Every structure is written in C-alpha cells, then in structure tokens.
Amino acid sequence: MTGTTRSSNGLDDRRKRLLFRCWHRGTREMDLILGRFADAEIGNLSDDELTELETLLEESDPDLYAAITGDKVLPAHVTGPLFARIKAFPITDGDL
C-alpha cells in the first residue's frame, strides 16, 4: 500500500490540504507514517491539533523520521501531544 485509503470527501479545505501533504512528503517512509496517521485521524483532529500537524509538517523528512525513530530530539514546540500520537501509531503491513 503506497497511497491514501481515505477519501477527502466531506473534509474541509484545511483537512484536505493536510491529508495531501501527509501523503506527499518526499520520502516513502514519511508518506507511510504520516499518511496512514492522517487517513485514520484527520477527520477527528481539533483545530489546535491541526495547527500542531501543520507545524510538524514544516520539519524536514530526515529530521522528522529521526525523531520518530528516537535518533534525534526535535524542539519542544514541534513534539507536542500530536507528535506522541503519531510516533505511537501502529505500522501494520511491514512496508517500512
């Protein structure tokens, strides 16, 4: 699986844009991590969580991947509660 399984129908423009950005990061690993999380959660995120996701998406793929795998620490303004949820989100089909 390499692409979204969720339709953007019914999402507001901000959520549609974030869903697209999560699936089009530039590295397959981050597409799968963020894209799968967005597929599952984008419709339920609060405005504050959407803002946190937007901030997180400003980080480079190598830095973000290193932070998710525990090899790097990102600044506190980036690694809030949503980052912890993304980091704990299960990868189920072994693509990584």
Side-chain angles (χ1 to χ4, degrees):
M1 178 166 96
T2 59
T4 186
T5 59
R6 187 197 200 294
S7 170
S8 62
N9 291 337
L11 294 177
D12 59 64
D13 288 343
R14 185 180 187 194
R15 283 179 170 79
K16 286 179 185 178
R17 191 171 34 257
L18 285 169
L19 179 64
F20 181 87
R21 287 183 66 199
C22 285
W23 273 110
H24 295 87
R25 292 293 304 169
T27 64
R28 182 168 186 211
E29 294 84 359
M30 290 312 303
D31 288 353
L32 292 171
I33 292 168
L34 292 174
R36 288 179 179 162
F37 177 83
D39 277 357
E41 302 292 332
I42 197 76
N44 300 320
L45 296 178
S46 69
D47 285 340
D48 288 342
E49 290 169 325
L50 293 174
T51 299
E52 189 176 340
L53 181 57
E54 289 166 337
T55 300
L56 189 64
L57 292 176
E58 295 303 317
E59 295 298 315
S60 72
D61 280 0
D63 288 346
L64 195 51
Y65 186 76
I68 287 172
T69 60
D71 292 335
K72 182 174 184 160
V73 176
L74 293 176
H77 77 278
V78 176
T79 57
L82 186 69
F83 176 77
R85 285 176 52 198
I86 292 169
K87 192 172 177 177
F89 194 77
I91 302 297
T92 58
D93 71 359
D95 281 344
L96 295 179

